Amino acid sequence: MTLLEEILNYNAKFVEDKTYENYETSKVPTMKAVMLTCMDTRLVELSTKALGFKNGDVKLVKNAGATITHPYGSTMRSLLVGIYALGAEEIIIMGHKDCGMGGINVEEVLNTMKDRGIKEETISILKHSGIDLDHFLGGFSDVRENVRANIDLVYNHPLFDQSVPVHGLVIDPHTGEVELIQNGYDKVVEK
């Protein structure tokens, strides 16, 4: 049985048994927060459970490295929509120790792409078209600095409401212990 067949079979039983009733909630986050964290498999549940969040408490945005790569990209848009359209009043940016994006080897990633059929010509065209693949595929060397850089990007965004606190955390993916990087209440600008 393929993964997709397993998923679809499980889903049919999930719906038939009305298991979804255990997860019913509003689209507005109960705890009025939107959280950006990493897509790391260890954080699927740990990122929320370690903070005491239940289903429906927080809007959750995940990507590789919990990183805002472009001020007008989908991650920043998700944070702004969470605030302006979906009832969030605080932002949490949470990186994690032992992140795969920490010190990622871009050359190895590009070689794996080539091994899987991406032509050298395609990579060359992108590079010569002004695409900085090292930046696009690259990570960071210090998770704490990455969290701080993301916080700064949010606070300096022209569409960001300065009265919204942006908290910075780093979680240990083995224990769930959280380290405070930035208390957003300390930076809030009152209206």
Side-chain angles (χ1 to χ4, degrees):
M1 182 180 298
T2 67
L3 175 61
L4 181 59
E5 289 168 331
E6 282 184 47
I7 290 169
L8 294 175
N9 288 341
Y10 181 89
N11 180 257
K13 182 93 171 108
F14 182 90
V15 173
E16 179 184 320
D17 294 347
K18 297 185 179 188
T19 306
Y20 57 86
E21 291 176 349
N22 297 327
Y23 304 98
E24 289 178 339
T25 187
S26 162
K27 68 180 178 180
V28 175
T30 308
M31 301 298 282
K32 300 195 182 307
V34 59
M35 181 166 70
L36 168 61
T37 193
C38 186
M39 66 181 198
D40 189 296
T41 55
R42 298 169 292 180
L43 301 183
V44 169
E45 292 187 53
L46 185 64
S47 64
T48 53
K49 301 293 185 206
L51 303 182
F53 292 134
K54 301 180 304 304
N55 187 49
D57 282 350
V58 65
K59 290 292 183 188
L60 195 57
V61 180
K62 290 184 165 245
N63 69 24
T67 301
I68 302 169
T69 58
H70 193 283
Y72 293 95
S74 63
T75 301
M76 189 66 206
R77 180 187 65 203
S78 295
L79 297 177
L80 293 171
V81 166
I83 300 258
Y84 293 118
L86 300 172
E89 297 175 357
E90 302 189 33
I91 293 175
I92 301 164
I93 297 177
M94 185 167 68
H96 69 96
K97 296 177 181 177
D98 190 30
C99 184
M101 291 304 288
I104 193 166
N105 185 321
V106 174
E107 201 57 43
E108 284 181 18
V109 173
L110 290 170
N111 286 334
T112 302
M113 288 177 175
K114 293 175 206 171
D115 291 346
R116 295 186 66 169
I118 303 299
K119 294 181 177 15
E120 176 69 45
E121 176 187 16
T122 301
I123 293 169
S124 181
I125 289 170
L126 290 172
K127 286 181 177 180
H128 288 93
S129 298
I131 308 282
D132 181 352
L133 290 177
D134 289 335
H135 177 73
F136 176 69
L137 297 171
F140 48 83
S141 57
D142 184 314
V143 67
R144 290 164 190 83
E145 286 305 313
N146 188 55
V147 169
R148 286 185 195 97
N150 283 295
I151 291 169
D152 288 344
L153 201 151
V154 172
Y155 273 119
N156 290 307
H157 198 282
L159 300 176
F160 181 68
D161 176 354
Q162 297 292 314
S163 70
V164 173
V166 182
H167 310 292
L169 305 173
V170 172
I171 188 170
D172 184 318
H174 305 289
T175 66
E177 181 180 13
V178 171
E179 175 185 348
L180 178 64
I181 303 301
Q182 171 68 52
N183 178 338
Y185 302 129
D186 293 342
K187 288 189 84 168
V188 168
V189 175
E190 295 298 325
K191 289 182 181 180

